Amino acid sequence: MSCISYARAHAQTGDSLSSGLSSEENDTVSGASSDTQCHFVSKEEAMFYYSGISPTPPKLVYRTGSETRPFTMPTGLEAYRRLKQARGVFDHRLNAIWKPTVGPMVRDLLTDSKVPWTSIDGVRFLDEDEDDKQTLGPVVIWIGVLPGSVSGEDVVHAAKAILDILARFDIYDVEVEFRES
């Protein structure tokens, strides 16, 4: 199921992914073709996805992996945001090729694509669920961009190109996330 199809299905059921979307945003999702890639992040996901990272967490711009790891806002009277902690990347194949090869390729790709990046980091997020159970997420290439400086289409294309670079090295278990910084 494509990202737009997923969003459309959840908009129809009132699921938390689309709750809080303006009618204009819901119209955009509903009017999109099912084969279009998802170029949006809901306002709630943008604001709360990195809760716990810092006292003023960064705003999420775009992320791959939203179909396999969808964002859900906690609901109910005593709902708490799910908190994240940033962790280092250890014992992953990407470590051995990052500095000499992949890191410079990602940097050059972003620069050539005119994406106004501020930082490129490797990170894993420790996620906490409603039962205080913690789960270590996948390795993420975490890219900071200037606030309000990129379009959804630009970061979608850049993320796909980064995943293509990783595929050249047979690395398929890494996600790409853009945040304002």
Side-chain angles (χ1 to χ4, degrees), residues 19-148:
S19 67
L21 286 178
S22 70
S23 60
E24 181 180 290
E25 290 166 319
N26 272 325
D27 291 344
T28 300
V29 170
S30 299
S33 68
S34 62
D35 61 344
T36 304
Q37 288 185 316
C38 182
H39 293 201
F40 82 96
V41 173
S42 72
K43 290 179 185 178
E44 291 84 5
E45 184 174 11
M47 296 306 296
F48 299 121
Y49 184 76
Y50 292 121
S51 292
I53 296 294
S54 68
T56 54
K59 182 179 174 184
L60 174 68
V61 175
Y62 175 77
R63 69 186 178 100
T64 61
S66 60
E67 289 185 23
T68 57
R69 296 177 303 109
F71 174 78
T72 54
M73 272 297 285
T75 57
L77 296 174
E78 295 184 27
Y80 293 98
R81 292 174 290 178
R82 295 188 175 140
L83 303 180
K84 292 183 183 295
Q85 295 176 19
R87 302 291 181 165
V89 177
F90 303 101
D91 300 325
H92 193 276
R93 291 185 35 218
L94 185 58
N95 290 358
I97 59 173
W98 179 258
K99 192 171 182 177
T101 310
V102 175
M105 291 173 79
V106 169
R107 178 201 61 214
D108 293 346
L109 171 95
L110 293 171
T111 301
D112 293 346
S113 300
K114 307 264 189 285
V115 173
W117 62 274
T118 58
S119 61
I120 305 169
D121 301 293
V123 67
R124 292 184 86 172
F125 293 106
L126 189 64
D127 296 312
E128 186 178 288
D129 68 13
E130 60 273 351
D131 299 322
D132 294 330
K133 182 179 153 193
Q134 295 183 331
T135 306
L136 190 59
V139 172
V140 172
I141 296 177
W142 203 29
I143 301 165
V145 294
L146 295 172

